[in-house]
Amino acid sequence: DIQMTQSPSTLSASVGDRVTITCRASQSISNWLAWYQQKPGRAPKLLIYKASSLESGVPSRFSGSGSGTEFTLTINSLQPDDFATYSCQQYKSYSPDTFGQGTKLEIK
Amino acid sequence: QLQLQESGPGLVKPSETLSLTCIVSGDSISSSNYYWGWIRQPPGKGLEWIGSIYYSGSTYYNPSLKSRVTVSVDTSKNQFSLKLSSVTAADTAVYYCARQGRWFPYFDYWGQGNMVTVSS
């Protein structure tokens, strides 16, 4: 089974900062990775699929990169609306731990 | 505009069966391009995939839950359902339904979530 590990678990940043969140897979998943944003009390929202493809309507300050086992989500020029929890999901194969454990992005 | 809406009880007793339904509007659940999935999130924890179903009835389940999970589909009502048997407090979570690509199975549309508490 493929396991996903995100780092860091929590990230403190300020409005205007550039932040990077990492997701690592226990084995190669090519570029079959998605990123989600979730705000308290809300459902996750798809941001990026196929590691680097931006979902329609998602601001261009969000970007994804990586392939194989290491992936990053980068947010340029953080906006107040961006403080949320971010999760990755591998979809190379159905697996018990298809999602990473999440990274909480909080205001410094 | 595609919408998914979960419905079901918010409180289930230990050892009983949790039952939830997801009503899909704005698209046919019989679309050949999508699976329909259930995901849960215990309070303060990460997302856990439970299982997914195709309109034909083909299913995939999380092996850690497979012995207790049944996902079914009713194309005539454009809805799909989750049953989780023998629940314990560890099954307390927000349960989401979502649309999942058939060929690229990420989740692009989500329901708002249904909080289910397991308690006597």
Side-chain angles (χ1 to χ4, degrees):
Chain A
D1 293 334
I2 300 172
Q3 295 185 332
M4 307 302 294
T5 304
Q6 280 184 241
S7 60
S9 297
T10 306
L11 180 58
S12 297
S14 302
V15 172
D17 284 353
R18 178 176 183 264
V19 298
T20 298
I21 298 168
T22 298
C23 184
R24 289 186 174 87
S26 59
Q27 60 185 268
S28 177
I29 58 170
S30 184
N31 60 352
W32 305 126
L33 186 97
W35 288 98
Y36 301 87
Q37 176 194 65
Q38 187 177 22
K39 297 179 181 179
R42 304 289 296 273
K45 172 188 173 183
L46 177 67
L47 296 177
I48 287 170
Y49 59 94
K50 207 176 178 184
S52 60
S53 296
L54 204 63
E55 174 72 347
S56 175
V58 174
S60 58
R61 62 180 180 274
F62 291 90
S63 63
S65 64
S67 65
T69 61
E70 188 154 335
F71 303 85
T72 58
L73 171 69
T74 299
I75 312 172
N76 286 302
S77 187
L78 271 174
Q79 298 300 300
D81 191 50
D82 299 338
F83 292 94
T85 296
Y86 294 85
S87 300
C88 62
Q89 180 219 346
Q90 67 82 16
Y91 52 94
K92 180 178 185 289
S93 64
Y94 283 97
S95 177
D97 298 314
T98 188
F99 291 98
Q101 78 275 24
T103 294
K104 184 178 181 180
L105 175 59
E106 57 183 26
I107 301 174
K108 186 183 288 185
Chain B
Q1 174 74 4
L2 177 67
Q3 291 187 320
L4 297 92
Q5 177 67 57
E6 305 91 349
S7 65
L11 182 64
V12 181
K13 290 182 168 55
S15 79
E16 294 189 345
T17 296
L18 179 161
S19 296
L20 294 171
T21 295
C22 182
I23 298 172
V24 178
S25 59
D27 192 13
S28 171
I29 204 168
S30 299
S31 168
S32 61
N33 293 321
Y34 299 104
Y35 270 74
W36 304 89
W38 289 98
I39 304 99
R40 70 180 182 178
Q41 185 171 38
K45 296 187 178 181
L47 299 163
E48 180 181 31
W49 168 67
I50 300 170
S52 302
I53 192 164
Y54 193 56
Y55 77 93
S56 65
S58 173
T59 53
Y60 291 94
Y61 294 135
N62 185 326
S64 68
L65 298 168
K66 186 175 183 178
S67 64
R68 299 193 292 129
V69 172
T70 301
V71 179
S72 59
V73 63
D74 186 336
T75 56
S76 67
K77 295 181 178 178
N78 220 43
Q79 64 185 40
F80 61 108
S81 299
L82 168 70
K83 291 188 186 298
L84 180 65
S85 64
S86 304
V87 297
T88 70
D91 296 309
T92 294
V94 177
Y95 286 75
Y96 296 100
C97 61
R99 189 177 79 170
Q100 185 179 25
R102 179 183 180 191
W103 309 113
F104 306 106
Y106 54 84
F107 300 95
D108 60 354
Y109 282 90
W110 296 65
Q112 65 185 28
N114 192 120
M115 178 67 203
V116 179
T117 301
V118 179
S119 175
S120 55

